[in-house]
Amino acid sequence: MSAWERFVETFFKPAIIAQYWPDLLKGVLVTLEIAVAVVFTGLLLGLALASLRAYRIVPVNALIVVFVDVLRALPPLVAILLIYFGLPSVGINLPSFVVLWLVLSFVLAAFAEEIFWAGITSTPKGQWEAARSTGLSFSTTLAHVVLPQAIRLGVPPLTNRTIAITKNTALGTVIGVGEILNAATTAQSFTGNATPLMMGAIAYIALFVPVVVLGRWIETRFAWRRA
Amino acid sequence: MELIGQQFFNLEIMQKVWPLLLRGLGTTAYLCALVIPLGLAGGLGVALISLSRRRAAVWAAVVLVDLFRAAPPLVLLILLYSGLPFAGINLSPAVAVSLAFFLNSSSYYGEIYRAGIDSVAHGQWEAARSTGLGAVPTIVYVVLPQAVRNVVPDLVSNTIEVVKLTSIASVVSFPELLYSADMARSLTFNSSPVVLAAAVYVVVLWPLVRLVSRLERRLAAH
């Protein structure tokens, strides 16, 4: 067997690809579902926390700051293992995909809160005053004047952060979430061949290269400087 | 409530496993001391290649950077650690981890340096070259110092991510902090060691997280 044939046989064996692509595809769907759920809840929760912080209620803000700082300093895998293996011992059993979704949503929410909050604080004071003096309430000013600008300012820094956190869905394999990496390592142990791992890596790259390229485009498209 | 205290904040167990965790923390620190400089140097290399006049080199760098930014680091690590042995290449956990981190963090650091270099005004290049400085001294003495200064918050922020990411080395049995804590958890049937490890991560990284917030605010004020 030539070196090339051996390489193909090890990493791209057609028979294994034919047998396992449905499993991998199922993994892709699971990854997509969790990724979409995380982006949705994470960004929404981050926006809600940043808005809540704008009311400057001291004890609430202290809690928000602690939440955000802890989740920015804690490796997600530590939180995942802690919740997945810890909670059952106090009688709470959560399915593994729920644990993954919760942890990644909270992490994204923490980063999103910081970014939206930076946008809220960078809105010039005159805008608040102008809006309030026309008779808008504090909440209406926040929702209709300040937040639209804060969200717009937040898009470029949030894009890359969101992509990075979405890629962390691969951590789910450690607690047995059936996403791409899990499908690939399972198939690899059945076949004793590296082809499924290669398929998994290709699946991730096929999923995320467009997102990375789109992210780069969004960064330049939305780069927005206030005059 | 008592159950929670016993399962998550058991001081007796924490005390018992502390030496093990401390050794894990030492290994994490050692790993960081290896992969952060490697990533910073690799990233600088990637950014410098993107300044090259050879289009093929620039394109190759962009493709590689995007590939390694698209692949989750854990996937890269498992591919290197479990995939390469099939091709007869056996990497130890330490080498697999270092290599995966080098590929991943070089790409991220490279993008940050590149943004920094882009942020240096073109006139700086022209002024430096017109005073007779060569291309290399211009890059080293004029462009890079300003480029790096402009992206310090991003560099620190990415470094925090790299430190946090070292926890995935536990998946290939590299005995760093999380691995030690998880071992202790399975030995004691108690989650307190993992809570302790989480606390160690937060205590070590929290000052850096604060620093990044301050640096970002100061840069935004400019």
Side-chain angles (χ1 to χ4, degrees), chain A residues 173-191:
Chain A
T173 192
V174 178
I175 55 170
V177 178
E179 43 67 65
I180 300 173
L181 184 58
N182 195 270
T185 47
T186 307
Q188 181 235 325
S189 61
F190 278 135
T191 56

Side-chain angles (χ1 to χ4, degrees), chain B residues 101-115:
Chain B
F101 273 73
F102 174 69
L103 295 174
N104 176 265
S105 58
S106 297
S107 304
Y108 277 94
Y109 280 126
E111 279 291 285
I112 295 172
Y113 285 123
R114 209 178 50 89

Side-chain angles (χ1 to χ4, degrees), chain B residues 51-109:
Chain B
L51 289 176
S52 149
R53 289 234 177 99
R54 287 174 208 279
R55 300 205 95 177
V58 175
W59 273 103
V62 170
V63 168
L64 281 180
V65 163
D66 278 1
L67 275 186
F68 289 119
R69 290 202 313 160
L74 184 59
V75 174
L76 201 58
L77 176 59
I78 289 187
L79 194 63
L80 290 175
Y81 184 70
S82 319
L84 284 184
F86 289 101
I89 305 168
N90 284 294
L91 301 180
S92 70
V95 173
V97 168
S98 311
L99 191 56
F101 273 73
F102 174 69
L103 295 174
N104 176 265
S105 58
S106 297
S107 304
Y108 277 94
Y109 280 126

Side-chain angles (χ1 to χ4, degrees), chain A residues 10 69 72-75 77-78 82 85-86 89 111 114 161 167 170 188 192-194 204-205 208 212 216, chain B residues 7-8 66-67 69-70 72 74-75 86 108 111 157 161 164 167 185 191 194-195 198 201 205-206 209-210 213:
Chain A
T10 311
D69 277 7
R72 289 206 302 169
L74 191 66
L77 186 56
V78 178
L82 189 59
F85 292 111
S89 62
F111 281 101
E114 273 297 291
R161 185 61 70 183
K167 276 169 29 189
Q188 181 235 325
N193 186 289
Y204 270 110
I205 286 169
F208 280 104
V212 168
R216 191 176 282 164
Chain B
Q7 283 298 329
F8 292 97
D66 278 1
L67 275 186
R69 290 202 313 160
L74 184 59
V75 174
F86 289 101
Y108 277 94
E111 279 291 285
S157 167
E161 293 306 311
K164 283 159 62 180
S167 60
R185 177 188 63 77
S191 293
V194 186
V195 172
Y201 278 112
L205 290 176
W206 184 73
V209 168
R210 284 281 103 206
S213 289

